[in-house]
Amino acid sequence: MATADPERPGFLLPLLLLAGFRTLIDDLHAELARQGHTELRPLHGFVLQAVGVEGTTATELGQRLGISKQAAGKTVDRLVALGYLERVDDPRDARRKLVRTTARGRDGLHRSAVVFDQLRQRWADTLGPERVAAMEDDLRAVTPANWFRLDVPGWFGG
């Protein structure tokens, strides 16, 4: 059944959510570039988050991101070359290599968190803090509790 309000068709909601997401991500990366992280791309942030504090293997990273081990390895290679990740021997299993964030990777993640706080404040300055908080509450009400899942096949690798 079509939406009764022709000015608010159903397909517009996901497009507006995507546009808001893209605006935040594009603004984040423009600021990160100004702060010296010119090489970071949106996918890289998801990868750095998926690597986690303890590190992971390329196989586990691929599973977390829902992509092949080969695709994960290629992305890791790129982030190693850029200085955001490193490969080290796994102290629990000499046959395995762990992927870990470097100081540069941790700096990029830290700066991202700070910039996201600034961007949220910019939205609050434009819309009002109550409306931004209400929007966050409303999105929490309609999204699953485990909304931040990177292991959904196809999201990153097709």
Side-chain angles (χ1 to χ4, degrees):
M1 173 156 72
T3 303
D5 185 348
E7 296 197 18
R8 295 183 184 270
F11 68 83
L12 190 57
L13 177 60
L15 294 177
L16 289 170
L17 289 169
L18 178 61
F21 174 78
R22 274 297 305 264
T23 298
L24 288 169
I25 297 301
D26 290 349
D27 289 351
L28 166 73
H29 284 275
E31 182 57 32
L32 288 175
R34 281 191 284 278
Q35 294 183 23
H37 289 280
T38 57
E39 316 88 354
L40 278 180
R41 300 293 174 259
L43 173 63
H44 297 160
F46 288 107
V47 172
L48 292 172
Q49 290 288 336
V51 166
V53 176
E54 300 296 320
T56 188
T57 66
T59 300
E60 291 165 346
L61 181 63
Q63 291 169 345
R64 291 177 187 178
L65 294 171
I67 60 176
S68 70
K69 176 184 174 183
Q70 293 78 13
K74 185 175 179 181
T75 304
V76 168
D77 289 344
R78 179 72 180 137
L79 288 170
V80 167
L82 293 172
Y84 289 94
L85 294 176
E86 63 182 353
R87 285 189 175 92
V88 298
D89 292 331
D90 186 339
R92 296 167 297 192
D93 185 345
R95 298 168 295 173
R96 294 184 350 154
K97 288 283 190 186
L98 286 180
V99 176
R100 294 190 317 201
T101 56
T102 62
R104 182 159 177 76
R106 290 186 298 277
D107 181 68
L109 286 170
H110 171 74
R111 288 175 188 267
S112 293
V114 170
V115 173
F116 273 131
D117 286 343
Q118 294 167 347
L119 293 171
R120 186 191 183 283
Q121 184 59 52
R122 188 184 311 165
W123 280 37
D125 292 345
T126 301
L127 301 173
E130 301 82 11
R131 288 189 64 195
V132 171
M135 180 174 31
E136 291 167 337
D137 292 343
D138 290 345
L139 288 169
R140 278 188 192 99
V142 297
T143 56
N146 63 342
W147 60 272
F148 189 71
R149 290 186 51 226
L150 297 174
D151 65 340
V152 179
W155 264 106
F156 292 108

